[in-house]
Amino acid sequence: MIDKVNLDPVVDVQNISKDYSGKIAVSNLSMEIPAGICFGLLGPNGAGKSTTLKMVYGVTSPNSGDIRVFGRDVTKYTRETRSRLGVMLQEDVMTDALTPRQNLETFGRYHLITKLDLSKRVDWVINFMELNSHADVKVRNLSGGFKRRLAAAMAILNNPELLILDEPTTGLDPAVRHVLWSKIRQLKAEGKTVLLTTHYMDEAERLCDQVMIMANGESVIQGHPRELIKSELMPEVAEFDCSETEEMKILENIEEKSLALRSGDRLMVFMEDATRVLEAINQFDGGSRRPVYSRPANLEDVFLSVTGLRLGEGQ
Amino acid sequence: MSVSVRHVLSVWHRNASMYRRTWKLNLLPNFFEPVFYLTAIGIGVGAYISEIGGLSYVAFLAPGLVCVAAMNGASFEVTYNVYIRLAYEKTYSAVITTPVTPEDILFGEVLWAVTRATIYGGGFFIVASLFGLVPNMMAVLAIFVIPLTGLLFASIGITFSLHMPTIEFFSFYFTLFLTPLFLFSDVFFPISERLTGFWLNAAEVFPLLHPVRIVRSIFNGDWGLHLLWDLGYIVVVSAILLFWAQRTIKKRLSN
Ligand SMILES: Nc1ncnc2c1ncn2[C@@H]1O[C@H](COP(=O)(O)OP(=O)(O)OP(=O)(O)O)[C@@H](O)[C@H]1O
Ligand SMILES: [Mg+2]
């Protein structure tokens, strides 16, 4: 016998729109998140990421469109749905006058975890998030990193099937970010589905099986990070400073297909093989070479190219 | 409307456990305030008043101060504390990511305010009885008016908090609303002997008057249908305000 595999997406969003008194926050957005993957929502400030998450966990409802979480309409089965998911808000919201342990105990009661299970569960999440050393220090005396760990601990307290993380690592030092990444990976390995937002493309590339880049409330593209790099850009990029007239002259010398992306004085030229760009620059500059940085194209390049930098297409 | 008793209790429990941590600090000032009034005005000023409605002045004062203690106990909780959780700490925005709904939060907060009102009103009732101011066994029934007073002022206060644009407005609430209520609601003098005609009827609008009248009637053994009017006022006004507050909290938290 073959096990029946559940192919229904854990989160199924179809054509949702949301405005705040006329101002559009999310517009005709769709996404399907299968069980067990990590899905990343990317987009500039104000793109509508947090609003999308809020609609997924049912705190706010879309003006139109459908949202199904665990196969059910979240606006109708809000309580049931929330008992099976955990949310880490963009801002740390906790009671300053209480310790992490006390905050967790309070949160556990909202989930109706019984007293006996609660202390076990609280110990477990404190351990898991490596909060032991600060479990009994008042939150107001904690560093940003420990507050963020506590926010994560609160999100996983009810052992959720779906984790919704709004900018989990913004403003954290590299060491804490690595800790959080490894925890997210571990939770995913346990079979949890993760939906996160981030401004860090390296984070999305590391963690996400699928990403959606949004801008002005709309989905611009969706896909696997590496496939997006392949489909949107070329594999290599050369970055250097040059004026627009210099740009024209340098690119004239390149016959192969290339894509150019400009941000102020900085030009990024994407090609199958970036050494061709270096040659073209050398040809133009003659003896005095300008510094050129060549590297593989990454998700950040895709992000910049689809969310607003001018993208000029060469031959 | 989506209210679940267990979730309401989880919200109540949060406040109760916070309170347990600091109750000594909180209890003392709130508890002593009406006791000071009782001694300074009741015994001090009362020495110059031979009698009022057949009672010593301190005995006249006691029933009103029971309600004042309950009113204050409820009011602090649903004004500053609720507003901070709503607008500054934003704790509610985290609470509603759990199965707790905005309505659960509202009723949990109100239930907690009623609890605090009962602690303060009950505490003062005990002090009053130690002063020998609870006249008979039947008067003990007045204890049931304490949580009702709490309910009324929790409903008024939380509705106010949910509609306040900034925290500064609470000083209006305390000085322009609660203080005049305290002074002109039959606590210190019977308004029926000072007001006439239209003004006497208009005074029925004021909330503190009703619980004070019930407690005073019970103390005096003055049972009658007039109690139904006062009781009805408390229940109906609380219900209307809570219905309104419930719609507001939903709107405020779900956007
Ligand atoms: N409660 C609200 N009332 C009014 N406008 C809102 C509200 N919440 C969000 N908006 C607006 O909707 C748009 C999308 O906001 P949202 O917070 O979803 O963006 P975001 O992608 O999460 O941004 P950031 O990266 O800065 O967190 C913004 O223009 C924002 O100003
Ligand atoms: Mg956001």
Side-chain angles (χ1 to χ4, degrees), chain A residues 20 23-25 43-52 54 90 167 199, chain B residues 255:
Chain A
Y20 287 105
K23 192 182 171 302
I24 291 167
N45 289 126
K49 303 178 297 293
S50 299
T51 307
T52 303
K54 277 187 203 164
Q90 185 171 343
E167 297 190 21
H199 286 296
Chain B
N255 85 47

Side-chain angles (χ1 to χ4, degrees), chain A residues 53-73:
Chain A
L53 297 188
K54 277 187 203 164
M55 290 190 277
V56 170
Y57 58 82
V59 152
T60 187
S61 349
N63 300 113
S64 62
D66 288 311
I67 301 177
R68 294 184 159 266
V69 181
F70 308 122
R72 295 213 280 185
D73 184 345

